Amino acid sequence: MNTATATSTGAAVRRHRTAEVDNLAVASFLLGLPGLLLFNIVLGPLAITLGTLALVRGTHRRGRALLGIALGIAALVILAVTTATSHGVLWQIGD
């Protein structure tokens, strides 16, 4: 393998890794958004985890990662407030 091939292969690997990390940031945002209303006990922590991973790995989409983390935290806060104000009962069918 010559130097030019090694350099182009290394650049391709870096681009692929950057794209994967950027996708983590986008996934964090896209999971945090519906997490505000649905399945917030699952989607909130997942959004926080993916956003943190994206930031640690050096994403170019820092804003999306930070927004995903913020939405995940907001989802957990909404869950806590809803649970506290309804005395632990989120759905009540019948009387």
Coordinates of all heavy atoms in Angstrom, one line a residue:
M1 N 0.9 -1.2 0.0 CA 0.0 0.0 0.0 C 0.9 1.2 0.0 O 1.8 1.4 0.8 CB -0.9 0.0 1.2 CG -1.8 1.1 1.3 SD -2.9 1.3 2.7 CE -3.6 -0.3 3.0
N2 N 0.6 2.1 -0.9 CA 1.5 3.3 -1.0 C 0.9 4.4 -0.1 O -0.2 4.3 0.5 CB 1.6 3.8 -2.4 CG 0.3 4.2 -3.0 OD1 -0.7 4.4 -2.3 ND2 0.2 4.2 -4.4
T3 N 1.6 5.5 0.0 CA 1.3 6.6 1.0 C 0.0 7.3 0.5 O -0.9 7.6 1.4 CB 2.4 7.6 1.0 OG1 3.6 7.0 1.3 CG2 2.1 8.7 2.1
A4 N -0.3 7.5 -0.7 CA -1.5 8.1 -1.2 C -2.7 7.3 -0.9 O -3.8 7.8 -0.5 CB -1.4 8.4 -2.7
T5 N -2.6 6.0 -1.0 CA -3.7 5.1 -0.7 C -4.0 5.1 0.8 O -5.2 5.1 1.2 CB -3.5 3.7 -1.2 OG1 -3.1 3.7 -2.6 CG2 -4.7 2.8 -1.0
A6 N -3.0 5.1 1.6 CA -3.1 5.1 3.0 C -3.8 6.4 3.5 O -4.6 6.4 4.4 CB -1.8 4.9 3.7
T7 N -3.3 7.5 2.9 CA -3.9 8.8 3.2 C -5.4 8.9 2.9 O -6.2 9.4 3.7 CB -3.1 9.9 2.6 OG1 -1.7 9.8 2.9 CG2 -3.6 11.3 3.0
S8 N -5.7 8.4 1.7 CA -7.1 8.5 1.3 C -8.0 7.6 2.1 O -9.1 7.9 2.4 CB -7.3 8.2 -0.2 OG -6.9 6.9 -0.5
T9 N -7.4 6.4 2.4 CA -8.2 5.5 3.3 C -8.4 6.1 4.7 O -9.5 6.0 5.2 CB -7.5 4.2 3.4 OG1 -7.2 3.6 2.1 CG2 -8.2 3.2 4.2
G10 N -7.4 6.7 5.2 CA -7.5 7.3 6.5 C -8.5 8.5 6.5 O -9.3 8.6 7.4
A11 N -8.5 9.3 5.4 CA -9.5 10.4 5.3 C -10.9 9.8 5.2 O -11.9 10.4 5.8 CB -9.2 11.2 4.1
A12 N -11.1 8.7 4.5 CA -12.4 8.1 4.3 C -12.9 7.6 5.7 O -14.1 7.7 6.0 CB -12.4 7.0 3.3
V13 N -12.0 7.0 6.4 CA -12.4 6.5 7.7 C -12.8 7.6 8.7 O -13.8 7.5 9.4 CB -11.3 5.6 8.4 CG1 -11.5 5.3 9.8 CG2 -11.1 4.4 7.6
R14 N -12.1 8.7 8.6 CA -12.4 9.9 9.5 C -13.8 10.5 9.1 O -14.5 10.9 9.9 CB -11.3 10.9 9.4 CG -10.1 10.6 10.3 CD -9.2 11.8 10.4 NE -8.7 12.3 9.1 CZ -7.6 11.8 8.5 NH1 -7.0 10.8 9.0 NH2 -7.2 12.2 7.3
R15 N -14.0 10.6 7.8 CA -15.3 11.1 7.3 C -16.5 10.2 7.8 O -17.5 10.7 8.2 CB -15.3 11.2 5.8 CG -14.7 12.5 5.3 CD -15.0 12.8 3.8 NE -14.7 11.6 3.0 CZ -13.5 11.4 2.4 NH1 -12.5 12.3 2.5 NH2 -13.3 10.4 1.6
H16 N -16.2 8.9 7.7 CA -17.3 7.9 8.1 C -17.5 8.0 9.6 O -18.7 8.0 10.0 CB -16.9 6.5 7.7 CG -17.9 5.5 8.1 ND1 -19.1 5.5 7.6 CD2 -17.8 4.4 8.9 CE1 -19.8 4.5 8.1 NE2 -19.0 3.8 8.9
R17 N -16.4 8.2 10.4 CA -16.6 8.3 11.8 C -17.3 9.6 12.2 O -18.2 9.6 13.1 CB -15.2 8.2 12.5 CG -15.3 8.3 14.0 CD -13.9 8.0 14.6 NE -13.8 8.4 16.0 CZ -14.2 7.7 17.0 NH1 -14.8 6.5 16.7 NH2 -14.1 8.1 18.2
T18 N -17.0 10.7 11.5 CA -17.6 12.0 11.7 C -19.1 11.9 11.4 O -19.9 12.4 12.1 CB -16.9 13.1 10.9 OG1 -15.5 13.1 11.3 CG2 -17.6 14.4 11.2
A19 N -19.4 11.2 10.3 CA -20.8 11.1 9.9 C -21.6 10.3 11.0 O -22.7 10.6 11.3 CB -20.9 10.4 8.6
E20 N -21.0 9.2 11.5 CA -21.6 8.4 12.5 C -21.9 9.2 13.8 O -22.9 9.1 14.4 CB -20.8 7.2 12.9 CG -20.8 6.1 11.8 CD -20.0 4.9 12.2 OE1 -19.2 5.0 13.2 OE2 -20.1 3.9 11.5
V21 N -20.9 10.0 14.2 CA -21.0 10.9 15.4 C -22.1 11.9 15.2 O -22.9 12.2 16.1 CB -19.6 11.5 15.8 CG1 -19.8 12.4 17.0 CG2 -18.7 10.4 16.2
D22 N -22.1 12.5 14.0 CA -23.1 13.5 13.7 C -24.5 12.9 13.8 O -25.5 13.5 14.2 CB -22.9 14.2 12.4 CG -21.7 15.1 12.4 OD1 -21.3 15.5 13.5 OD2 -21.3 15.5 11.3
N23 N -24.6 11.6 13.3 CA -25.9 10.9 13.4 C -26.3 10.7 14.8 O -27.5 10.7 15.1 CB -25.8 9.6 12.6 CG -25.8 9.8 11.1 OD1 -26.1 10.9 10.6 ND2 -25.3 8.8 10.4
L24 N -25.4 10.5 15.7 CA -25.7 10.4 17.1 C -26.4 11.6 17.6 O -27.4 11.6 18.4 CB -24.5 10.1 18.0 CG -24.0 8.6 18.0 CD1 -22.7 8.6 18.8 CD2 -25.0 7.7 18.5
A25 N -25.9 12.8 17.2 CA -26.4 14.1 17.7 C -27.8 14.2 17.1 O -28.7 14.7 17.9 CB -25.5 15.2 17.2
V26 N -28.0 13.9 15.9 CA -29.4 14.0 15.3 C -30.3 13.0 15.9 O -31.5 13.4 16.2 CB -29.3 13.8 13.8 CG1 -30.7 13.7 13.1 CG2 -28.5 14.9 13.1
A27 N -29.9 11.8 16.2 CA -30.7 10.8 16.9 C -31.1 11.3 18.3 O -32.3 11.1 18.7 CB -30.0 9.5 16.9
S28 N -30.2 11.9 19.0 CA -30.5 12.5 20.3 C -31.6 13.5 20.2 O -32.6 13.4 21.0 CB -29.2 13.1 20.9 OG -29.5 13.8 22.1
F29 N -31.5 14.4 19.3 CA -32.6 15.4 19.1 C -33.9 14.7 18.7 O -35.0 15.1 19.3 CB -32.2 16.4 18.0 CG -33.3 17.3 17.6 CD1 -33.7 18.3 18.4 CD2 -33.8 17.2 16.4 CE1 -34.7 19.2 18.1 CE2 -34.9 18.0 16.0 CZ -35.3 19.0 16.8
L30 N -33.9 13.8 17.8 CA -35.1 13.2 17.3 C -35.8 12.3 18.3 O -37.0 12.0 18.2 CB -34.8 12.4 16.0 CG -34.5 13.3 14.8 CD1 -34.1 12.4 13.6 CD2 -35.6 14.2 14.5
L31 N -35.0 11.7 19.2 CA -35.6 10.9 20.3 C -36.1 11.8 21.5 O -37.0 11.5 22.2 CB -34.6 9.9 20.8 CG -34.3 8.8 19.9 CD1 -33.2 7.9 20.4 CD2 -35.5 8.0 19.6
G32 N -35.4 12.9 21.7 CA -35.8 13.8 22.8 C -37.1 14.6 22.5 O -37.9 14.8 23.4
L33 N -37.3 14.8 21.2 CA -38.5 15.6 20.9 C -39.8 14.8 21.2 O -40.7 15.3 21.9 CB -38.5 16.0 19.4 CG -39.4 17.1 18.9 CD1 -39.1 18.4 19.7 CD2 -39.1 17.4 17.5
P34 N -40.0 13.6 20.7 CA -41.2 12.9 21.1 C -41.2 12.4 22.5 O -42.2 12.1 23.1 CB -41.3 11.7 20.1 CG -39.9 11.5 19.7 CD -39.3 12.8 19.7
G35 N -40.0 12.4 23.1 CA -39.9 12.0 24.5 C -40.6 13.0 25.5 O -40.8 12.7 26.6
L36 N -40.8 14.2 25.0 CA -41.6 15.2 25.8 C -43.0 14.7 26.1 O -43.6 15.0 27.1 CB -41.6 16.5 25.2 CG -40.2 17.2 25.1 CD1 -40.4 18.5 24.2 CD2 -39.7 17.6 26.4
L37 N -43.6 13.9 25.2 CA -45.0 13.5 25.3 C -45.2 12.0 25.5 O -46.1 11.6 26.2 CB -45.7 14.0 24.1 CG -45.8 15.5 23.8 CD1 -46.4 15.8 22.5 CD2 -46.5 16.2 25.0
L38 N -44.3 11.2 24.8 CA -44.5 9.8 24.8 C -43.3 9.0 25.3 O -42.2 9.4 25.0 CB -44.8 9.3 23.4 CG -46.0 9.9 22.7 CD1 -45.9 9.5 21.2 CD2 -47.3 9.4 23.3
F39 N -43.5 8.0 26.1 CA -42.4 7.2 26.6 C -41.2 7.9 27.2 O -40.1 7.6 26.9 CB -41.9 6.2 25.5 CG -43.0 5.4 24.8 CD1 -43.4 5.6 23.5 CD2 -43.7 4.5 25.6 CE1 -44.4 4.9 22.9 CE2 -44.8 3.8 25.0 CZ -45.1 4.0 23.7
N40 N -41.5 9.0 27.9 CA -40.4 9.8 28.4 C -39.5 9.1 29.4 O -38.4 9.5 29.5 CB -40.9 11.1 29.0 CG -42.2 11.0 29.8 OD1 -42.6 9.9 30.1 ND2 -42.8 12.1 30.2
I41 N -39.9 8.0 30.0 CA -39.1 7.3 30.9 C -38.0 6.6 30.1 O -36.9 6.3 30.7 CB -39.9 6.4 31.8 CG1 -39.0 6.0 33.0 CG2 -40.4 5.2 31.1 CD1 -39.7 5.5 34.2
V42 N -38.2 6.3 28.9 CA -37.2 5.6 28.0 C -36.5 6.6 27.1 O -35.3 6.6 27.0 CB -37.9 4.5 27.2 CG1 -37.0 3.9 26.2 CG2 -38.6 3.5 28.0
L43 N -37.3 7.4 26.4 CA -36.7 8.3 25.4 C -35.8 9.4 26.1 O -34.9 9.9 25.4 CB -37.8 8.9 24.5 CG -38.5 7.9 23.7 CD1 -39.6 8.6 22.8 CD2 -37.5 7.1 22.8
G44 N -36.2 9.9 27.3 CA -35.4 11.0 27.9 C -34.0 10.5 28.2 O -33.1 11.2 27.7
P45 N -33.8 9.4 28.9 CA -32.4 9.0 29.2 C -31.7 8.6 27.9 O -30.4 8.8 27.8 CB -32.6 7.8 30.1 CG -33.9 8.0 30.7 CD -34.8 8.7 29.7
L46 N -32.4 8.1 27.0 CA -31.7 7.7 25.7 C -31.2 8.9 25.0 O -30.1 8.9 24.4 CB -32.7 6.9 24.8 CG -32.1 6.1 23.7 CD1 -31.1 5.1 24.1 CD2 -33.2 5.4 23.0
A47 N -32.0 10.0 24.9 CA -31.6 11.2 24.3 C -30.4 11.9 25.0 O -29.5 12.4 24.4 CB -32.8 12.2 24.2
I48 N -30.4 11.8 26.3 CA -29.3 12.3 27.1 C -28.0 11.6 26.8 O -27.0 12.1 26.6 CB -29.6 12.3 28.6 CG1 -30.8 13.3 28.9 CG2 -28.4 12.7 29.4 CD1 -31.4 13.2 30.3
T49 N -28.1 10.2 26.8 CA -27.0 9.4 26.5 C -26.4 9.6 25.2 O -25.2 9.8 25.0 CB -27.4 7.9 26.7 OG1 -27.9 7.7 28.0 CG2 -26.2 7.0 26.5
L50 N -27.3 9.6 24.1 CA -26.8 9.8 22.8 C -26.2 11.2 22.6 O -25.2 11.3 21.9 CB -27.9 9.5 21.8 CG -28.4 8.1 21.6 CD1 -29.5 8.0 20.7 CD2 -27.2 7.2 21.2
G51 N -26.8 12.2 23.1 CA -26.2 13.6 23.0 C -24.9 13.7 23.7 O -24.0 14.3 23.2
T52 N -24.8 13.1 24.9 CA -23.5 13.1 25.6 C -22.4 12.4 24.8 O -21.3 12.8 24.7 CB -23.6 12.5 27.0 OG1 -24.7 13.2 27.7 CG2 -22.4 12.6 27.8
L53 N -22.7 11.2 24.2 CA -21.8 10.4 23.4 C -21.3 11.2 22.2 O -20.2 11.2 21.9 CB -22.4 9.1 23.0 CG -22.3 7.9 23.9 CD1 -23.1 6.8 23.3 CD2 -20.9 7.5 24.0
A54 N -22.3 11.9 21.6 CA -21.9 12.7 20.4 C -21.0 13.9 20.8 O -20.0 14.1 20.1 CB -23.2 13.3 19.8
L55 N -21.2 14.5 21.9 CA -20.3 15.6 22.4 C -19.0 15.1 22.7 O -17.9 15.7 22.4 CB -20.9 16.3 23.6 CG -22.2 17.2 23.2 CD1 -22.7 17.8 24.5 CD2 -21.8 18.3 22.3
V56 N -18.9 13.9 23.4 CA -17.6 13.4 23.8 C -16.8 12.9 22.6 O -15.6 13.1 22.6 CB -17.8 12.2 24.8 CG1 -16.6 11.4 25.0 CG2 -18.4 12.7 26.1
R57 N -17.5 12.4 21.6 CA -16.8 12.0 20.4 C -16.5 13.1 19.4 O -15.9 12.8 18.4 CB -17.6 10.9 19.7 CG -17.6 9.6 20.6 CD -18.4 8.5 19.9 NE -18.4 7.3 20.7 CZ -19.0 6.2 20.4 NH1 -19.6 6.1 19.2 NH2 -19.0 5.2 21.2
G58 N -16.9 14.3 19.7 CA -16.5 15.4 18.9 C -17.4 15.7 17.6 O -16.9 15.8 16.5
T59 N -18.7 15.8 17.8 CA -19.6 16.0 16.7 C -19.4 17.4 16.2 O -19.1 18.3 16.9 CB -21.0 15.7 17.1 OG1 -21.9 15.9 16.0 CG2 -21.5 16.7 18.2
H60 N -19.8 17.6 14.9 CA -19.8 18.9 14.3 C -21.2 19.6 14.6 O -21.4 20.7 14.3 CB -19.6 18.8 12.8 CG -18.2 18.4 12.5 ND1 -17.2 19.3 12.3 CD2 -17.6 17.2 12.4 CE1 -16.0 18.7 12.0 NE2 -16.3 17.4 12.1
R61 N -22.1 18.8 15.0 CA -23.5 19.3 15.3 C -23.7 19.4 16.8 O -24.6 18.8 17.3 CB -24.5 18.3 14.6 CG -24.4 18.2 13.2 CD -25.4 17.3 12.6 NE -25.2 17.3 11.1 CZ -26.2 17.1 10.3 NH1 -27.4 16.9 10.7 NH2 -25.9 17.1 9.0
R62 N -22.9 20.2 17.4 CA -23.0 20.4 18.8 C -24.4 21.0 19.3 O -24.9 20.6 20.3 CB -21.9 21.4 19.3 CG -20.5 20.8 19.3 CD -19.5 21.8 19.8 NE -19.9 22.4 21.1 CZ -19.7 21.9 22.3 NH1 -19.1 20.7 22.4 NH2 -20.0 22.5 23.4
G63 N -24.9 21.8 18.5 CA -26.2 22.4 18.8 C -27.3 21.3 18.9 O -28.1 21.3 19.8
R64 N -27.3 20.4 18.0 CA -28.3 19.3 18.0 C -28.1 18.4 19.2 O -29.0 17.9 19.8 CB -28.3 18.5 16.7 CG -28.7 19.3 15.5 CD -29.8 18.6 14.8 NE -30.3 19.5 13.7 CZ -30.0 19.4 12.5 NH1 -29.2 18.4 12.1 NH2 -30.6 20.2 11.6
A65 N -26.8 18.1 19.5 CA -26.5 17.3 20.6 C -27.0 18.0 21.9 O -27.6 17.3 22.8 CB -25.0 16.9 20.7
L66 N -26.7 19.2 22.1 CA -27.1 20.0 23.3 C -28.6 20.1 23.4 O -29.1 20.0 24.5 CB -26.4 21.4 23.3 CG -24.9 21.4 23.5 CD1 -24.4 22.8 23.3 CD2 -24.5 20.8 24.8
L67 N -29.2 20.3 22.2 CA -30.7 20.3 22.2 C -31.3 19.0 22.6 O -32.3 18.9 23.3 CB -31.2 20.8 20.9 CG -32.7 21.2 20.8 CD1 -33.1 22.2 21.8 CD2 -33.0 21.6 19.4
G68 N -30.7 17.9 22.1 CA -31.2 16.6 22.5 C -31.0 16.3 24.0 O -31.9 15.7 24.6
I69 N -29.9 16.8 24.6 CA -29.7 16.6 26.0 C -30.7 17.4 26.8 O -31.3 17.0 27.7 CB -28.3 17.0 26.4 CG1 -27.3 16.0 25.8 CG2 -28.1 17.1 27.9 CD1 -25.8 16.4 25.9
A70 N -31.0 18.7 26.3 CA -31.9 19.5 27.0 C -33.3 18.9 26.9 O -34.1 18.9 27.9 CB -31.9 20.9 26.4
L71 N -33.7 18.4 25.7 CA -35.0 17.8 25.6 C -35.2 16.5 26.4 O -36.2 16.2 27.0 CB -35.3 17.4 24.1 CG -35.6 18.6 23.2 CD1 -35.6 18.2 21.7 CD2 -36.8 19.3 23.5
G72 N -34.1 15.8 26.5 CA -34.1 14.6 27.4 C -34.3 14.9 28.8 O -35.1 14.3 29.6
I73 N -33.6 16.0 29.3 CA -33.8 16.4 30.7 C -35.2 17.0 30.9 O -35.8 16.7 31.9 CB -32.7 17.5 31.0 CG1 -31.3 16.8 31.1 CG2 -33.0 18.2 32.3 CD1 -30.2 17.8 31.1
A74 N -35.7 17.7 29.9 CA -37.1 18.2 30.0 C -38.1 17.1 30.1 O -39.1 17.2 30.8 CB -37.4 19.2 28.8
A75 N -37.9 16.0 29.3 CA -38.8 14.9 29.3 C -38.8 14.3 30.7 O -39.9 13.9 31.2 CB -38.4 13.9 28.3
L76 N -37.6 14.1 31.4 CA -37.6 13.6 32.7 C -38.2 14.5 33.7 O -38.9 14.0 34.7 CB -36.2 13.2 33.1 CG -35.5 12.1 32.3 CD1 -34.1 11.9 32.7 CD2 -36.3 10.8 32.4
V77 N -38.1 15.8 33.6 CA -38.7 16.7 34.5 C -40.2 16.7 34.3 O -41.0 16.7 35.3 CB -38.2 18.2 34.2 CG1 -39.0 19.2 34.9 CG2 -36.7 18.3 34.6
I78 N -40.7 16.6 33.1 CA -42.2 16.5 32.9 C -42.7 15.2 33.5 O -43.8 15.2 34.1 CB -42.5 16.5 31.3 CG1 -42.3 18.0 30.8 CG2 -43.9 16.0 31.1 CD1 -42.4 18.1 29.3
L79 N -41.9 14.1 33.4 CA -42.3 12.8 34.0 C -42.4 13.0 35.5 O -43.4 12.5 36.1 CB -41.4 11.7 33.6 CG -41.6 10.4 34.3 CD1 -42.9 9.8 33.8 CD2 -40.4 9.4 34.0
A80 N -41.4 13.6 36.1 CA -41.4 13.8 37.5 C -42.6 14.6 38.0 O -43.2 14.3 39.0 CB -40.1 14.4 38.0
V81 N -42.8 15.8 37.3 CA -43.9 16.7 37.7 C -45.2 16.0 37.5 O -46.1 16.1 38.4 CB -43.8 18.0 36.9 CG1 -45.1 18.8 37.1 CG2 -42.6 18.8 37.3
T82 N -45.4 15.3 36.4 CA -46.7 14.6 36.2 C -46.9 13.5 37.2 O -48.1 13.4 37.7 CB -46.7 14.0 34.8 OG1 -46.4 15.0 33.8 CG2 -48.0 13.4 34.5
T83 N -45.9 12.8 37.5 CA -46.0 11.7 38.5 C -46.3 12.3 39.9 O -47.2 11.8 40.7 CB -44.8 10.8 38.6 OG1 -44.5 10.3 37.3 CG2 -44.9 9.7 39.5
A84 N -45.7 13.4 40.3 CA -45.9 14.0 41.6 C -47.2 14.6 41.7 O -47.9 14.5 42.8 CB -44.8 15.0 41.9
T85 N -47.7 15.2 40.7 CA -49.0 15.9 40.8 C -50.2 15.0 40.7 O -51.3 15.3 41.2 CB -49.2 17.0 39.8 OG1 -49.0 16.4 38.5 CG2 -48.2 18.1 40.0
S86 N -50.0 13.8 40.1 CA -51.1 12.9 40.0 C -51.0 11.7 41.0 O -51.6 10.7 40.8 CB -51.2 12.3 38.6 OG -50.0 11.6 38.2
H87 N -50.1 11.9 41.9 CA -49.8 10.9 43.0 C -49.4 9.5 42.4 O -49.9 8.5 42.9 CB -51.1 10.7 43.9 CG -51.5 12.0 44.5 ND1 -50.8 12.6 45.5 CD2 -52.5 12.8 44.2 CE1 -51.4 13.8 45.8 NE2 -52.4 13.9 45.1
G88 N -48.7 9.5 41.3 CA -48.1 8.3 40.8 C -49.1 7.7 39.7 O -48.7 6.7 39.2
V89 N -50.2 8.2 39.5 CA -51.2 7.6 38.6 C -51.2 8.4 37.3 O -51.6 9.6 37.4 CB -52.6 7.5 39.2 CG1 -53.5 6.9 38.1 CG2 -52.6 6.6 40.4
L90 N -50.7 7.9 36.2 CA -50.7 8.7 35.0 C -51.9 8.4 34.1 O -52.4 9.3 33.4 CB -49.4 8.4 34.2 CG -48.1 8.8 34.8 CD1 -46.9 8.3 34.0 CD2 -48.1 10.3 35.1
W91 N -52.4 7.2 34.2 CA -53.6 6.8 33.4 C -54.6 6.1 34.3 O -54.2 5.2 35.1 CB -53.2 5.8 32.3 CG -52.4 6.4 31.2 CD1 -51.0 6.5 31.2 CD2 -52.8 6.9 30.0 NE1 -50.6 7.1 30.0 CE2 -51.7 7.4 29.3 CE3 -54.1 7.1 29.4 CZ2 -51.8 8.0 28.0 CZ3 -54.2 7.7 28.2 CH2 -53.1 8.1 27.5
Q92 N -55.8 6.6 34.3 CA -56.8 6.0 35.1 C -58.0 5.7 34.2 O -58.6 6.6 33.6 CB -57.2 7.0 36.2 CG -58.2 6.3 37.2 CD -58.5 7.2 38.3 OE1 -57.9 8.3 38.4 NE2 -59.4 6.8 39.2
I93 N -58.3 4.4 34.2 CA -59.5 4.0 33.3 C -60.6 3.7 34.3 O -60.5 2.9 35.2 CB -59.1 2.7 32.5 CG1 -57.9 3.1 31.6 CG2 -60.3 2.2 31.7 CD1 -57.3 1.9 30.8
G94 N -61.7 4.2 34.1 CA -62.9 4.0 34.9 C -62.9 5.0 36.1 O -62.3 6.0 36.1
D95 N -63.4 4.5 37.2 CA -63.5 5.4 38.4 C -62.3 5.2 39.3 O -61.7 4.6 39.8 CB -64.8 5.1 39.2 CG -66.0 5.6 38.5 OD1 -65.8 6.7 37.8 OD2 -67.0 5.0 38.6

